[in-house]
Amino acid sequence: MNLKTLTLAAALTVAQVASAVPAFAASADTVKGTVVSTKASSTAAAATSSSSPAAVSTAAPSASPSPTAATASPITGVDTQPSVDPLASASTDVPSATPSPASTDAFPTTSATPTATPVPASNAGTGQLVLMMNSNKMYLNGQEYLAAQPMAVKNGVSYVSIRAMVERVGLTLTYNGKTKETIIMKDGNELRFKTDSKWYTVNGKTTLMKGPAYQYKNTFMIPLTSITQALGLKYSVDNVQKRVIINLQTKPKASFTVQPAEIFAGETTVDYVTYNSASNGASIVQEQWEGRQEIFDQPGFYTVKYSVMDSNGLWSDPYSVTVTVLKPNQPPVAQFTTNKDEYKMGEPITITDLSSDPDGDALTESWNNRAQAFFNPGPVAIQLTVTDTHGLSSTFEKVINITNETLYSRDDFNKLFIPLGDLYAFDGSQIPSWNKVSYTTSSEPVTLIRSNSPETVYSDGIMYQETAMGSTRIMVHHKNSTSTNKKMYVIATNDNIYPANITTQYSGFGGPSEYPTATGKKSIDTYFQSMLTGSATSTVTLQPGESKAVLTTINNVTVKPGQVISLMSDVFSDYPVKYSVIMIDSDKDPLLTLPTLGYLDRDGVHNRGTYPNANRIINVTDAVGATPSRLVIGDNNSDPNLPGTDPLSGTDASNSGNFGVVYKITLSHVAPNTLITLNPRGGKYQGPLLINGNIIEAPNSGAVDAPNQTSVLYRTGNLEQTVEIVFTAASGSNLPVNLLFMPLPAQKSY
């Protein structure tokens, strides 16, 4: 047989053997259209060794690979997932023996044509994991590993062994026997997979997979695309060599912030706070900056870039920040004028502030010796200091002269010119001798639930509990005197067989604060605001037997030891509702805790109780203001305490100070040029009033002290007026108080 015949026979043999190789057999490399096997069949070799001048290697058909003892690779264990605890044993995927060198067999060639060099199917770049289709072989950096089961297709979805994949990535698995979940931790994120489920979770967020996870021969199999997606891995499919190439090298991440928020040229030292991370067990080994400066010499916009490199040699994408550098801060300019340079004693002084800042910063003012008038003759130096937001300041001073002539006495000046809400000092000893105004009184059917005792609370418990229907006012004022953080709640319970609707009409809340008067003032302030705006209006429906936290502004805050809260709210219910005012640890569930709580005793000083008819209507029809007179509130004499009961103790109650009572006062005939003020008689007072639809503070700042201070509430003009006043005592303040009516002094020209 000649050489041509031998060559043709060898070629036919190769074609026949190659046609018998199944699609999932050991993959062959394609080199210039020639199929070259990576392992020679002993049968084919025997057939050609004696007759062919160039031995031709072919791939013999093989059964689907499986990790049995007959496997040629010297692997001592396999990736298994026992049915009881799939992750109880350590990983058994280990490198196989070093693959034998690639075969040098080739198709017959002439001496003029170079032999094609086969490319191994396992060949890939650094950091790439190669999975062979329909095989349990995988290659990482040229090293062969075996999974417990081959990559398989089930219902059109490609599945892989989760352990084999994850451990090649450099992560570890745990198994939760209670939830039957396989758990992977990657870069601080928790991934969970469950047998026979089509969902996996990342930090509790569920994601749908293409198919359900399953177990096969004690190996946990999941869709390939799901694990690559979950681990953030990119992959490509090589259909020619029947392999999937997964890129394990993930770029590190870099970012930074610049501090402080404002940077001035030539002045500000810039701090750069960096954040960086690497994936898959790598570490950050190098940083690189562009445009970074500790101090920028000139104003403008500067781009600063930051990059990092990890231990795999990968660089992050540059992270950039545009730094705005401002012109150096300039100090402010303090300046003011007075309408005159010389004044009489008691003459009003008009001051116009002309201060400015060249950078447009907001300014803080501090005055020295500023007054609305002076009552002693001589030169007076008025001084103003302004400070910008960067701490630079400036001071301006002007000297005015006060003559020996008197325009107004101090008392007359205060009555005429003190702003609404401000206070002034006077001789309060004369007030009890003033006439009391005559009025008629009535009430409106509002049930007041006052929870104010124990005011200082030393343990968890129910501070008050009452059932009410219709118009109901809930007033709460308590201090946390325990050693831990607490929350206070108003829990509404519907013990009826029908749904109950609770509509909040007005509501105000103050605190938490260490100052009882401040919380009381704030609660009445916001109560009046909701009355004017309707901002608190809302409805809650309770099903039969249901309990809910209502008036939730009270439990939206944590009350620290020593802090006080105040609440005042008007609600309406169409069925009887039980209200429970409780204090518990801030981390406890109020609905679960309520049944375990006991009732707290009264403290013997402060008041709690249920009081009907809690709106008191006062109509003054006589003219007031022509002569000094007063209207007394909360003295339990002219204005009696509201009677009620304390159901927790089974005793009668008297609402001392009438806290929680809303007074609606109508003065039908207030004389022209009348001054109305508030003068406390029982101690310090701090709280607002609603006068002709406007909230007036008593006082604007601080507190009005009894008995020698009074806070300006209202002045009438040159005509008689009707004045309407809504008043309710602010928790933390002292009763009684007097509303004073007095004629204004005649105004003089100046």
Side-chain angles (χ1 to χ4, degrees):
M1 183 179 295
N2 59 28
L3 179 61
K4 181 177 181 180
T5 303
L6 287 173
T7 302
L8 178 60
L12 289 173
T13 302
V14 170
Q16 290 172 349
V17 174
S19 66
V21 177
F24 53 81
S27 301
D29 294 320
T30 302
V31 181
K32 295 183 180 181
T34 303
V35 178
V36 182
S37 172
T38 59
K39 290 189 177 181
S41 165
S42 58
T43 304
T48 60
S49 59
S50 60
S51 58
S52 174
V56 180
S57 174
T58 61
S62 63
S64 177
S66 60
T68 64
T71 303
S73 173
I75 291 180
T76 58
V78 294
D79 167 20
T80 61
Q81 187 172 10
S83 58
V84 177
D85 183 348
L87 304 166
S89 59
S91 169
T92 55
D93 283 308
V94 296
S96 69
T98 303
S100 57
S103 172
T104 57
D105 295 337
F107 287 99
T109 60
T110 64
S111 58
T113 303
T115 303
T117 303
V119 179
S122 62
N123 187 51
T126 302
Q128 291 183 328
L129 177 65
V130 177
L131 307 181
M132 305 307 299
M133 297 182 185
N134 297 313
S135 170
N136 65 341
K137 291 182 180 180
M138 55 179 63
Y139 300 92
L140 177 61
N141 298 329
Q143 182 67 60
E144 180 180 296
Y145 296 85
L146 296 183
Q149 291 295 329
M151 185 191 304
V153 177
K154 183 177 180 180
N155 297 325
V157 179
S158 295
Y159 285 82
V160 294
S161 162
I162 187 171
R163 180 187 292 278
M165 273 286 298
V166 167
E167 293 190 348
R168 295 293 74 75
V169 174
L171 304 176
T172 57
L173 305 176
T174 58
Y175 180 73
N176 189 321
K178 291 183 179 179
T179 62
K180 310 296 185 185
E181 290 176 311
T182 296
I183 304 170
I184 305 169
M185 296 300 298
K186 182 179 187 295
D187 299 334
N189 297 308
E190 182 185 71
L191 292 70
R192 288 176 175 257
F193 296 84
K194 194 170 186 177
T195 304
D196 299 326
S197 174
K198 296 180 69 173
W199 299 88
Y200 73 89
T201 65
V202 180
N203 299 330
K205 182 180 179 180
T206 57
T207 300
L208 181 65
M209 301 190 292
K210 291 185 176 181
Y214 69 91
Q215 286 195 56
Y216 178 71
K217 294 184 178 179
N218 294 328
T219 301
F220 190 31
M221 306 287 287
I222 60 170
L224 171 63
T225 55
S226 298
I227 190 62
T228 55
Q229 176 182 341
L231 298 179
L233 303 176
K234 295 182 179 180
Y235 69 94
S236 60
V237 178
D238 180 358
N239 286 315
V240 174
Q241 299 206 71
K242 305 300 181 183
R243 61 181 184 168
V244 176
I245 303 173
I246 301 174
N247 185 9
L248 301 185
Q249 292 187 328
T250 303
K251 288 183 180 180
K253 296 180 179 179
S255 64
F256 68 96
T257 59
V258 174
Q259 297 175 350
E262 290 186 334
I263 298 171
F264 296 94
E267 295 181 356
T268 307
T269 299
V270 183
D271 292 325
Y272 298 86
V273 181
T274 60
Y275 306 89
N276 53 57
S277 62
S279 297
N280 302 328
S283 58
I284 302 299
V285 296
Q286 188 174 337
E287 295 181 331
Q288 180 173 296
W289 290 91
E290 294 180 30
R292 171 172 172 161
Q293 298 183 50
E294 302 303 317
I295 296 178
F296 292 88
D297 294 330
Q298 299 297 323
F301 301 95
Y302 296 84
T303 299
V304 180
K305 295 182 179 181
Y306 173 58
S307 305
V308 296
M309 186 181 76
D310 66 16
S311 52
N312 291 324
L314 293 178
W315 281 95
S316 68
D317 292 326
Y319 184 87
S320 65
V321 171
T322 299
V323 179
T324 301
V325 180
L326 306 173
K327 293 186 297 183
N329 182 44
Q330 300 296 314
V333 178
Q335 182 69 45
F336 68 88
T337 62
T338 57
N339 59 322
K340 296 169 66 174
D341 293 331
E342 188 172 84
Y343 297 86
K344 299 174 184 178
M345 288 185 290
E347 182 178 350
I349 300 172
T350 301
I351 296 178
T352 304
D353 185 0
L354 301 175
S355 300
S356 62
D357 186 85
D359 304 307
D361 293 345
L363 299 177
T364 302
E365 298 179 349
S366 175
W367 291 88
N368 183 35
N369 211 26
R370 177 178 182 173
Q372 294 172 305
F374 292 95
F375 298 92
N376 296 301
V380 175
I382 304 172
Q383 193 177 78
L384 168 64
T385 299
V386 294
T387 305
D388 68 13
T389 55
H390 307 287
L392 295 183
S393 62
S394 171
T395 299
F396 176 79
E397 180 178 280
K398 181 178 181 180
V399 178
I400 60 173
N401 187 53
I402 309 301
T403 70
N404 291 319
E405 188 178 355
T406 298
L407 182 65
Y408 291 109
S409 68
R410 188 185 296 271
D411 187 60
D412 285 351
F413 180 90
N414 290 337
K415 292 176 181 178
L416 285 168
F417 299 109
I418 291 296
L420 298 182
D422 280 2
L423 59 83
Y424 65 88
F426 77 130
D427 182 6
S429 64
Q430 61 181 314
I431 301 304
S433 65
W434 288 14
N435 291 330
K436 297 178 181 178
V437 299
S438 299
Y439 57 83
T440 60
T441 184
S442 60
S443 61
E444 292 177 342
V446 176
T447 300
L448 169 64
I449 297 174
R450 179 180 176 184
S451 179
N452 189 200
S453 186
E455 182 172 280
T456 302
V457 188
Y458 294 95
S459 65
D460 291 5
I462 300 172
M463 295 171 289
Y464 198 66
Q465 191 175 78
E466 180 60 285
T467 299
M469 176 181 174
S471 296
T472 304
R473 179 170 301 128
I474 299 173
M475 197 210 86
V476 178
H477 183 77
H478 293 286
K479 176 181 180 180
N480 172 19
S481 283
T482 70
S483 60
T484 59
N485 291 342
K486 300 293 182 182
K487 282 195 174 184
M488 299 189 193
Y489 296 83
V490 177
I491 305 296
T493 302
N494 178 17
D495 291 328
N496 306 285
I497 61 173
Y498 304 104
N501 297 301
I502 304 172
T503 299
T504 301
Q505 299 166 324
Y506 318 126
S507 187
F509 178 75
S513 168
E514 297 177 356
Y515 303 101
T517 54
T519 64
K521 178 183 179 181
K522 182 64 174 180
S523 68
I524 303 305
D525 245 330
T526 50
Y527 176 82
F528 282 152
Q529 288 172 16
S530 72
M531 188 178 289
L532 295 175
T533 64
S535 58
T537 304
S538 63
T539 299
V540 172
T541 300
L542 296 177
Q543 298 302 320
E546 185 180 16
S547 293
K548 283 184 180 179
V550 295
L551 308 176
T552 53
T553 52
I554 193 173
N555 57 264
N556 284 339
V557 299
T558 297
V559 186
K560 297 178 180 179
Q563 291 185 330
V564 182
I565 57 93
S566 290
L567 172 77
M568 177 130 151
S569 301
D570 285 8
V571 300
F572 182 90
S573 64
D574 52 3
Y575 282 94
V577 173
K578 181 170 66 178
Y579 299 97
S580 303
V581 182
I582 66 172
M583 185 179 83
I584 58 175
D585 285 339
S586 59
D587 59 352
K588 288 184 178 179
D589 185 303
L591 300 183
L592 296 177
T593 307
L594 177 58
T596 69
L597 298 176
Y599 297 112
L600 302 181
D601 292 333
R602 294 179 295 183
D603 58 23
V605 176
H606 301 92
N607 190 275
R608 75 181 184 193
T610 303
Y611 304 99
N613 304 316
N615 279 358
R616 187 160 286 183
I617 313 301
I618 294 177
N619 288 306
V620 180
T621 57
D622 293 342
V624 298
T627 59
S629 59
R630 62 193 174 115
L631 191 157
V632 183
I633 299 175
D635 68 342
N636 197 28
N637 185 6
S638 300
D639 180 39
N641 290 349
L642 201 62
T645 59
D646 178 358
L648 298 188
S649 62
T651 60
D652 293 336
S654 177
N655 188 11
S656 177
N658 278 344
F659 288 89
V661 174
V662 172
Y663 292 83
K664 298 180 179 180
I665 304 167
T666 301
L667 306 162
S668 300
H669 302 283
V670 182
N673 302 310
T674 294
L675 173 66
I676 304 175
T677 68
L678 181 142
N679 171 231
R681 307 304 295 183
K684 292 184 182 296
Y685 190 85
Q686 185 177 351
L689 296 86
L690 193 60
I691 303 178
N692 283 357
N694 296 307
I695 297 175
I696 306 297
E697 303 294 341
N700 288 324
S701 62
V704 195
D705 204 359
N708 297 319
Q709 288 183 341
T710 193
S711 182
V712 177
L713 301 179
Y714 195 78
R715 293 184 180 95
T716 61
N718 294 324
L719 300 174
E720 181 181 276
Q721 286 185 246
T722 295
V723 178
E724 295 181 343
I725 301 175
V726 180
F727 171 82
T728 185
S731 296
S733 288
N734 297 279
L735 276 289
V737 298
N738 282 216
L739 296 182
L740 304 183
F741 309 95
M742 65 194 85
L744 287 168
Q747 294 204 30
K748 302 176 183 179
S749 299
Y750 54 93

